[in-house]
Amino acid sequence: MVMNKKLCPVCNNVATPLDVVDFNKCCEEARGQFLPISGIPIYYYHCSSCSFTFAPEFEMWTEKDFLEKIYNDEYTKIDPDYLEVRPQSQLQILTQLFGEQKNLIQHLDYGGGNGKLSLLLRQEGWNSAAYDPYTSGGVSISDLGTFNLITAFEVFEHVPDIHGLMKNLTQLMSDDSLVLFSTLISDGNLKPNNRINWWYASPRNGHISLFSQKSLILLGKKYSVNLGTLNDDFHCYCRQLPHWARHSMK
Ligand SMILES: [Zn+2]
């Protein structure tokens, strides 16, 4: 049974079903690869006020459910860039943005999966650690301390509990920390009275929280952090821009 409305977790206004897609809809469809239909319907709800779009189905999933059904042995097939290509390109981005300031940076890669990016950075002389809720079993956020650069690449769209994510990130921040994160903005790609035909809205990839620019701004305000945007994919949250980041961020 489908509820005809839910409350938007970002702004508490009314969200209504936008469309239903098959659970096996995956991002590789954009490259012509289609998985067999699973027959499991996944509803995405769209907030009429801030345009945050989310799949409530996953709110009830346990960590075990995610590991068994999404982040399983098949995951690299539907996200082949995960193991090598993406960490390498993230290394290049960080080197371009902050490479000259690396001696001033204590970096944490949040949600970094296998820790590859952090390893590559350490090999280049960075002070970097990795934390992933799925792979850093037993490590508590409060034991990690604070970091002045936190990256969360391709994390926000995977999280069913966006407030849990923001609490973790803000706990890891000091007053002059920068959270640099990537998630594709939904503006222009998801809209009312349209079916979902955006490749990024793919349950099989675990893409279950899809942000508009407005919803990222509002979410940040709830945690007293300001949003900065580099492009449709890369954004940052900070209380105040750290001095070492001023030359490369606006
Ligand atoms: Zn909203």
Side-chain angles (χ1 to χ4, degrees):
M1 195 112 127
V2 184
M3 310 243 315
N4 60 7
K5 58 184 177 184
K6 288 187 168 285
L7 286 184
C8 169
V10 174
C11 75
N12 287 328
N13 282 303
V14 171
T16 53
L18 177 65
D19 201 357
V20 57
V21 305
D22 188 79
F23 172 74
N24 269 352
K25 182 176 184 296
C26 79
C27 291
E28 284 300 290
E29 291 183 7
R31 302 186 206 185
Q33 186 193 329
F34 291 78
L35 296 174
I37 296 296
S38 73
I40 302 165
I42 302 295
Y43 289 84
Y44 281 92
Y45 283 65
H46 181 264
C47 172
S48 56
S49 180
C50 77
S51 294
F52 180 62
T53 303
F54 58 105
E57 167 78 18
F58 298 97
E59 289 168 5
M60 308 306 290
W61 278 33
T62 62
E63 189 177 311
K64 187 164 169 276
D65 289 330
F66 280 102
L67 289 172
E68 283 180 5
K69 297 174 189 172
I70 292 182
Y71 308 115
N72 53 23
D73 292 343
E74 304 287 301
Y75 185 74
T76 52
K77 286 189 192 160
I78 50 95
D79 189 11
D81 294 344
Y82 161 74
L83 287 177
E84 290 292 339
V85 175
R86 207 172 297 129
Q88 287 289 353
S89 80
Q90 290 160 353
L91 170 69
Q92 284 179 13
I93 289 164
L94 288 176
T95 302
Q96 275 171 13
L97 284 174
F98 307 124
E100 289 177 14
Q101 284 75 35
K102 68 182 175 190
N103 292 335
L104 303 172
I105 292 173
Q106 294 86 45
H107 170 251
L108 178 75
D109 189 35
Y110 183 98
N114 56 12
K116 178 84 183 193
L117 171 61
S118 203
L119 176 67
L120 293 172
L121 285 165
R122 288 198 299 277
Q123 287 171 349
E124 299 291 326
W126 290 61
N127 181 345
S128 175
Y131 171 80
D132 191 296
Y134 287 111
T135 56
S136 305
V139 177
S140 163
I141 281 281
S142 54
D143 292 338
L144 293 174
T146 58
F147 301 83
N148 60 0
L149 176 63
I150 301 162
T151 50
F153 292 132
E154 303 290 307
V155 169
F156 277 59
E157 68 275 16
H158 291 267
V159 172
D161 175 13
I162 56 172
H163 293 290
L165 171 66
M166 290 302 288
K167 280 177 195 155
N168 282 351
L169 290 175
T170 48
Q171 194 174 338
L172 293 162
M173 294 171 74
S174 55
D175 281 342
D176 66 345
S177 295
L178 183 75
V179 176
L180 179 68
F181 64 101
S182 67
T183 192
L184 266 187
I185 289 292
S186 64
D187 300 54
N189 294 306
L190 295 176
K191 31 194 168 185
N193 303 314
N194 276 260
R195 307 308 295 253
I196 291 180
N197 56 16
W198 189 28
W199 65 272
Y200 202 64
S202 287
R204 183 60 189 84
N205 284 70
H207 289 188
I208 58 192
S209 292
L210 305 169
F211 290 85
S212 63
Q213 175 97 353
K214 185 177 179 184
S215 63
L216 283 178
I217 292 170
L218 291 175
L219 182 64
K221 277 191 177 158
K222 290 198 168 172
Y223 294 87
S224 303
V225 290
N226 300 309
L227 180 77
T229 289
L230 286 79
N231 55 41
D232 281 352
D233 198 6
F234 285 88
H235 327 273
C236 63
Y237 278 137
C238 63
R239 299 187 179 109
Q240 58 188 32
L241 198 57
H243 62 91
W244 49 262
R246 285 190 186 143
H247 73 288
S248 50
M249 314 288 286
K250 294 188 191 92

